[in-house]
Structure formats: structure tokens, C-alpha cells
Amino acid sequence: MICEMCGKEAPARPMLVEGIKLNLCPDCAKFGDEYKTQGGQPGQPAPGAPPVSRTVIEARLQKREKRMQTRDVYSGSTTLELVDDYGRAIREAREAKGMDLEEFGKSILEKRGILAKIEANDLIPDDKMIAKLEKALGIKLREQVQTGGTIGGARPGGPPTLADFIKKK
Ligand SMILES: [Zn+2]
């Protein structure tokens, strides 16, 4: 039996929720009232939920799904970003390997001048270059950064929204 409130596979039993009969699992049973079979129809099993309650349940489950997806997306929004002191990290790793810029440049087929600029934080390496440097030096130049920020924040003083327009009418 599937719980019609949360969709979980559980030993659900019929309960009354806002006047609608739903099969609820033990977790959700607290949201419902005791369902009493109405007399006068003995031996006649309910032919599934009526169309209205199905719609209500589906809307509820969809809403719930949406809410969970939004939260997942929000909490999972991390991006890889270049560390601030990438130049120093590269130079230290290179020196630890006992290579000067010339040798290092030759080893990864990059121009010495370019590498010097990167080590001085004067040039931001592109993704390809970052991957190459990370691999050649055995270091990590990127870190996971949480991209938070406000979603649909208020805009005081912004242009009027449709809602404002309707309110004024
Ligand atoms: Zn449930």
C-alpha cells in the first residue's frame, strides 16, 4: 500500500484529511482523523479515490516534489573557482620540484613569459591551463565555492510589478 500523503510504500490505513479519505502511512496518520466506514454499504469496497481527491493528492505531491527539488538545487549549487593566490601556489609547487620557469615551460609546452605572468597573478589561466598546471605540479588550484545569493529578492524602489498595478486599480 502506498501512502497517499507522502507517496511512501508503507502499511497505510484509511484516514480522513480535510474531509477526504486518504490512505496514510503511520508517519502521516497524525495529519488525519479516524476514518469510519459509513454504514449502509456493507461488503462494497471503495472503487478507488474519487476524482476530486486524486487531484488534491497529486497537486500536493507535486508541490512537495517541487519544494524538495528547489532545496536540492539550492544546497547543491557549488562551483569550482580559482584560488586567490594561485600564482604563489604554482611558483611554490614548481620550486619544490626544482624547476625554473624555463624548464617548467618546456615541460608543459607553455611560454616562459606566460607562466611568469600567471605566477605573478597578472594573468588568470583558463580552464585548460589550470588543468595542465594542476596535473604537472600535482596541486589543486580550484576550490569549491558555494554560490548562495538571494532568489527573487525584494526590489525596493524598482519598477512597479504587475501586482502593484493590480493593487492600485
Ligand atoms: Zn506518509
mmCIF file with all atom_site columns, all heavy atoms in Angstrom, residues 159-169:
data_model
loop_
_atom_site.group_PDB
_atom_site.id
_atom_site.type_symbol
_atom_site.label_atom_id
_atom_site.label_alt_id
_atom_site.label_comp_id
_atom_site.label_asym_id
_atom_site.label_entity_id
_atom_site.label_seq_id
_atom_site.pdbx_PDB_ins_code
_atom_site.Cartn_x
_atom_site.Cartn_y
_atom_site.Cartn_z
_atom_site.occupancy
_atom_site.B_iso_or_equiv
_atom_site.pdbx_formal_charge
_atom_site.auth_seq_id
_atom_site.auth_comp_id
_atom_site.auth_asym_id
_atom_site.auth_atom_id
_atom_site.pdbx_PDB_model_num
ATOM 1  N N   . PRO A 1 159 ? 11.097 49.159 -10.606 1.00 0.00 ? 159 PRO A N   1
ATOM 2  C CA  . PRO A 1 159 ? 9.905  49.445 -11.396 1.00 0.00 ? 159 PRO A CA  1
ATOM 3  C C   . PRO A 1 159 ? 8.699  48.700 -10.834 1.00 0.00 ? 159 PRO A C   1
ATOM 4  O O   . PRO A 1 159 ? 8.856  47.646 -10.224 1.00 0.00 ? 159 PRO A O   1
ATOM 5  C CB  . PRO A 1 159 ? 10.265 48.915 -12.786 1.00 0.00 ? 159 PRO A CB  1
ATOM 6  C CG  . PRO A 1 159 ? 11.381 47.957 -12.569 1.00 0.00 ? 159 PRO A CG  1
ATOM 7  C CD  . PRO A 1 159 ? 12.103 48.415 -11.347 1.00 0.00 ? 159 PRO A CD  1
ATOM 8  N N   . PRO A 1 160 ? 7.511  49.234 -10.997 1.00 0.00 ? 160 PRO A N   1
ATOM 9  C CA  . PRO A 1 160 ? 6.328  48.584 -10.427 1.00 0.00 ? 160 PRO A CA  1
ATOM 10 C C   . PRO A 1 160 ? 6.078  47.228 -11.076 1.00 0.00 ? 160 PRO A C   1
ATOM 11 O O   . PRO A 1 160 ? 6.296  47.053 -12.271 1.00 0.00 ? 160 PRO A O   1
ATOM 12 C CB  . PRO A 1 160 ? 5.195  49.560 -10.748 1.00 0.00 ? 160 PRO A CB  1
ATOM 13 C CG  . PRO A 1 160 ? 5.704  50.389 -11.871 1.00 0.00 ? 160 PRO A CG  1
ATOM 14 C CD  . PRO A 1 160 ? 7.179  50.451 -11.704 1.00 0.00 ? 160 PRO A CD  1
ATOM 15 N N   . THR A 1 161 ? 5.669  46.286 -10.264 1.00 0.00 ? 161 THR A N   1
ATOM 16 C CA  . THR A 1 161 ? 5.329  44.970 -10.770 1.00 0.00 ? 161 THR A CA  1
ATOM 17 C C   . THR A 1 161 ? 3.857  44.929 -11.131 1.00 0.00 ? 161 THR A C   1
ATOM 18 O O   . THR A 1 161 ? 3.106  45.848 -10.815 1.00 0.00 ? 161 THR A O   1
ATOM 19 C CB  . THR A 1 161 ? 5.614  43.894 -9.706  1.00 0.00 ? 161 THR A CB  1
ATOM 20 O OG1 . THR A 1 161 ? 4.776  44.151 -8.591  1.00 0.00 ? 161 THR A OG1 1
ATOM 21 C CG2 . THR A 1 161 ? 7.070  43.938 -9.280  1.00 0.00 ? 161 THR A CG2 1
ATOM 22 N N   . LEU A 1 162 ? 3.468  43.858 -11.758 1.00 0.00 ? 162 LEU A N   1
ATOM 23 C CA  . LEU A 1 162 ? 2.066  43.681 -12.123 1.00 0.00 ? 162 LEU A CA  1
ATOM 24 C C   . LEU A 1 162 ? 1.189  43.707 -10.880 1.00 0.00 ? 162 LEU A C   1
ATOM 25 O O   . LEU A 1 162 ? 0.098  44.264 -10.881 1.00 0.00 ? 162 LEU A O   1
ATOM 26 C CB  . LEU A 1 162 ? 1.903  42.356 -12.874 1.00 0.00 ? 162 LEU A CB  1
ATOM 27 C CG  . LEU A 1 162 ? 0.530  42.103 -13.475 1.00 0.00 ? 162 LEU A CG  1
ATOM 28 C CD1 . LEU A 1 162 ? 0.211  43.156 -14.521 1.00 0.00 ? 162 LEU A CD1 1
ATOM 29 C CD2 . LEU A 1 162 ? 0.474  40.723 -14.092 1.00 0.00 ? 162 LEU A CD2 1
ATOM 30 N N   . ALA A 1 163 ? 1.713  43.151 -9.802  1.00 0.00 ? 163 ALA A N   1
ATOM 31 C CA  . ALA A 1 163 ? 0.958  43.108 -8.545  1.00 0.00 ? 163 ALA A CA  1
ATOM 32 C C   . ALA A 1 163 ? 0.655  44.523 -8.070  1.00 0.00 ? 163 ALA A C   1
ATOM 33 O O   . ALA A 1 163 ? -0.449 44.819 -7.632  1.00 0.00 ? 163 ALA A O   1
ATOM 34 C CB  . ALA A 1 163 ? 1.743  42.344 -7.488  1.00 0.00 ? 163 ALA A CB  1
ATOM 35 N N   . ASP A 1 164 ? 1.641  45.414 -8.156  1.00 0.00 ? 164 ASP A N   1
ATOM 36 C CA  . ASP A 1 164 ? 1.433  46.808 -7.763  1.00 0.00 ? 164 ASP A CA  1
ATOM 37 C C   . ASP A 1 164 ? 0.318  47.432 -8.586  1.00 0.00 ? 164 ASP A C   1
ATOM 38 O O   . ASP A 1 164 ? -0.539 48.142 -8.094  1.00 0.00 ? 164 ASP A O   1
ATOM 39 C CB  . ASP A 1 164 ? 2.713  47.609 -7.954  1.00 0.00 ? 164 ASP A CB  1
ATOM 40 C CG  . ASP A 1 164 ? 3.795  47.160 -6.985  1.00 0.00 ? 164 ASP A CG  1
ATOM 41 O OD1 . ASP A 1 164 ? 3.448  46.632 -5.926  1.00 0.00 ? 164 ASP A OD1 1
ATOM 42 O OD2 . ASP A 1 164 ? 4.973  47.343 -7.309  1.00 0.00 ? 164 ASP A OD2 1
ATOM 43 N N   . PHE A 1 165 ? 0.373  47.152 -9.857  1.00 0.00 ? 165 PHE A N   1
ATOM 44 C CA  . PHE A 1 165 ? -0.585 47.706 -10.795 1.00 0.00 ? 165 PHE A CA  1
ATOM 45 C C   . PHE A 1 165 ? -1.995 47.284 -10.434 1.00 0.00 ? 165 PHE A C   1
ATOM 46 O O   . PHE A 1 165 ? -2.914 48.096 -10.388 1.00 0.00 ? 165 PHE A O   1
ATOM 47 C CB  . PHE A 1 165 ? -0.225 47.232 -12.207 1.00 0.00 ? 165 PHE A CB  1
ATOM 48 C CG  . PHE A 1 165 ? -1.086 47.858 -13.281 1.00 0.00 ? 165 PHE A CG  1
ATOM 49 C CD1 . PHE A 1 165 ? -0.927 49.188 -13.602 1.00 0.00 ? 165 PHE A CD1 1
ATOM 50 C CD2 . PHE A 1 165 ? -2.026 47.096 -13.938 1.00 0.00 ? 165 PHE A CD2 1
ATOM 51 C CE1 . PHE A 1 165 ? -1.709 49.752 -14.593 1.00 0.00 ? 165 PHE A CE1 1
ATOM 52 C CE2 . PHE A 1 165 ? -2.804 47.655 -14.920 1.00 0.00 ? 165 PHE A CE2 1
ATOM 53 C CZ  . PHE A 1 165 ? -2.659 48.988 -15.256 1.00 0.00 ? 165 PHE A CZ  1
ATOM 54 N N   . ILE A 1 166 ? -2.153 46.000 -10.121 1.00 0.00 ? 166 ILE A N   1
ATOM 55 C CA  . ILE A 1 166 ? -3.468 45.474 -9.798  1.00 0.00 ? 166 ILE A CA  1
ATOM 56 C C   . ILE A 1 166 ? -3.967 46.089 -8.502  1.00 0.00 ? 166 ILE A C   1
ATOM 57 O O   . ILE A 1 166 ? -5.122 46.456 -8.366  1.00 0.00 ? 166 ILE A O   1
ATOM 58 C CB  . ILE A 1 166 ? -3.433 43.932 -9.690  1.00 0.00 ? 166 ILE A CB  1
ATOM 59 C CG1 . ILE A 1 166 ? -3.190 43.351 -11.094 1.00 0.00 ? 166 ILE A CG1 1
ATOM 60 C CG2 . ILE A 1 166 ? -4.727 43.387 -9.107  1.00 0.00 ? 166 ILE A CG2 1
ATOM 61 C CD1 . ILE A 1 166 ? -2.735 41.925 -11.105 1.00 0.00 ? 166 ILE A CD1 1
ATOM 62 N N   . LYS A 1 167 ? -3.069 46.237 -7.554  1.00 0.00 ? 167 LYS A N   1
ATOM 63 C CA  . LYS A 1 167 ? -3.442 46.792 -6.255  1.00 0.00 ? 167 LYS A CA  1
ATOM 64 C C   . LYS A 1 167 ? -3.971 48.222 -6.418  1.00 0.00 ? 167 LYS A C   1
ATOM 65 O O   . LYS A 1 167 ? -4.930 48.615 -5.771  1.00 0.00 ? 167 LYS A O   1
ATOM 66 C CB  . LYS A 1 167 ? -2.222 46.803 -5.321  1.00 0.00 ? 167 LYS A CB  1
ATOM 67 C CG  . LYS A 1 167 ? -2.378 45.835 -4.144  1.00 0.00 ? 167 LYS A CG  1
ATOM 68 C CD  . LYS A 1 167 ? -1.196 45.927 -3.213  1.00 0.00 ? 167 LYS A CD  1
ATOM 69 C CE  . LYS A 1 167 ? -0.082 44.994 -3.641  1.00 0.00 ? 167 LYS A CE  1
ATOM 70 N NZ  . LYS A 1 167 ? 1.158  45.224 -2.904  1.00 0.00 ? 167 LYS A NZ  1
ATOM 71 N N   . LYS A 1 168 ? -3.320 48.995 -7.262  1.00 0.00 ? 168 LYS A N   1
ATOM 72 C CA  . LYS A 1 168 ? -3.706 50.410 -7.438  1.00 0.00 ? 168 LYS A CA  1
ATOM 73 C C   . LYS A 1 168 ? -5.075 50.551 -8.083  1.00 0.00 ? 168 LYS A C   1
ATOM 74 O O   . LYS A 1 168 ? -5.772 51.516 -7.857  1.00 0.00 ? 168 LYS A O   1
ATOM 75 C CB  . LYS A 1 168 ? -2.668 51.111 -8.317  1.00 0.00 ? 168 LYS A CB  1
ATOM 76 C CG  . LYS A 1 168 ? -1.496 51.646 -7.498  1.00 0.00 ? 168 LYS A CG  1
ATOM 77 C CD  . LYS A 1 168 ? -0.417 52.198 -8.419  1.00 0.00 ? 168 LYS A CD  1
ATOM 78 C CE  . LYS A 1 168 ? 0.934  52.248 -7.696  1.00 0.00 ? 168 LYS A CE  1
ATOM 79 N NZ  . LYS A 1 168 ? 2.032  52.077 -8.636  1.00 0.00 ? 168 LYS A NZ  1
ATOM 80 N N   . LYS A 1 169 ? -5.471 49.558 -8.875  1.00 0.00 ? 169 LYS A N   1
ATOM 81 C CA  . LYS A 1 169 ? -6.716 49.639 -9.641  1.00 0.00 ? 169 LYS A CA  1
ATOM 82 C C   . LYS A 1 169 ? -7.939 49.694 -8.744  1.00 0.00 ? 169 LYS A C   1
ATOM 83 O O   . LYS A 1 169 ? -7.972 49.022 -7.721  1.00 0.00 ? 169 LYS A O   1
ATOM 84 C CB  . LYS A 1 169 ? -6.828 48.421 -10.573 1.00 0.00 ? 169 LYS A CB  1
ATOM 85 C CG  . LYS A 1 169 ? -6.937 48.868 -12.012 1.00 0.00 ? 169 LYS A CG  1
ATOM 86 C CD  . LYS A 1 169 ? -6.863 47.654 -12.919 1.00 0.00 ? 169 LYS A CD  1
ATOM 87 C CE  . LYS A 1 169 ? -8.024 47.713 -13.925 1.00 0.00 ? 169 LYS A CE  1
ATOM 88 N NZ  . LYS A 1 169 ? -8.046 46.556 -14.808 1.00 0.00 ? 169 LYS A NZ  1
#
